[in-house]
């Protein structure tokens, strides 16, 4: 699709961003990643992201965003704040301004590296109500970045309209299913792979996985029966 162009993937080492990294490697001639150190709950996230980037032979830049931790204390940046979600309210894991800042800094980096494509794993289907994961926000920011730097950025959101089961399907189609399942870190408690099974991120990931495996199993049985 963009065979001769360069892209930067906003990369955390989780299920979504790793799936996006495989997607980017398929569609772009050159791919780099950018990871943000904002004092997140477990530093292991940065280590996992670095390991995956190394394994896939993709250059990685880690940017210090500790100011975000200072400005927006929440359950992702403070171990003394519980991970909670009340009906009608944003989860305690929501970080004000995170995607706005991350994508803005990713754009600055991308321009310096001669890349105009930025890939992020935000999703409006399984977004827990996060306002900065909405398609309208991404489109608005894309215009703002282009105007602010007079540069033709394109922000890609391959997962925007997919649920978690469909995200697993995409990973499978990219021949990355086992890699994503065993090597990524989605868990808020820092457990790689299938995670702790108790935090909201793990429950969402597991529900999508089980849904996809059920469909994949049914499809496989149907094909065998037809044969």
């Amino acid at each position: 699709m963009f065979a001769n162009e360069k892209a930067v993937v906003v990369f955390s080492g989780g299920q979504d961003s790793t799936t996006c990294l495989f997607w980017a490697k398929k569609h772009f001639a050159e791919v780099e990643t950018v990871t943000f150190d904002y004092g997140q709950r477990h530093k292991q996230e940065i280590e996992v992201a670095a390991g995956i980037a190394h394994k896939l032979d993709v250059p990685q830049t880690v940017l210090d965003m500790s100011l975000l931790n200072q400005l927006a204390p929440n359950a992702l940046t403070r171990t003394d704040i519980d991970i909670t979600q009340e009906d009608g309210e944003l989860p305690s894991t929501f970080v004000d301004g995170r995607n706005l800042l991350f994508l803005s800094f990713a754009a600055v980096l991308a321009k310096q590296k001669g890349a105009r494509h930025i890939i992020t794993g935000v999703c409006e289907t399984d977004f827990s109500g996060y306002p900065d994961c909405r398609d309208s926000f991404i489109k608005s920011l894309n215009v703002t970045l282009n105007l602010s730097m007079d540069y033709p950025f394109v922000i890609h959101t391959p997962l925007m309209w997919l649920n978690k089961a469909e995200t697993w399907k995409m990973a499978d189609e990219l021949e990355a299913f086992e890699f994503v399942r065993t090597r990524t870190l989605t868990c808020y408690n820092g457990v790689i792979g299938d995670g702790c099974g108790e935090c909201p991120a793990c429950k969402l990931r597991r529900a999508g996985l089980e849904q996809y495996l059920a469909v994949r199993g049914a499809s496989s049985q149907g094909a065998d029966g037809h044969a």
Side-chain angles (χ1 to χ4, degrees), residues 1 7 11 24 67 81 88-89 91 109 131 141 148 155 183:
M1 188 184 302
F11 190 59
L67 178 62
I81 298 178
E89 297 183 7
L109 177 69
L141 181 60
S148 70
I155 301 178
R183 291 178 177 268

Side-chain angles (χ1 to χ4, degrees), residues 99-101 103-104 136-146 155:
N99 285 339
L100 170 64
L101 291 173
L103 288 166
S104 296
S136 57
F137 161 71
I138 296 296
K139 285 183 167 60
S140 173
L141 181 60
N142 201 154
V143 173
T144 299
L145 291 174
N146 291 7
I155 301 178

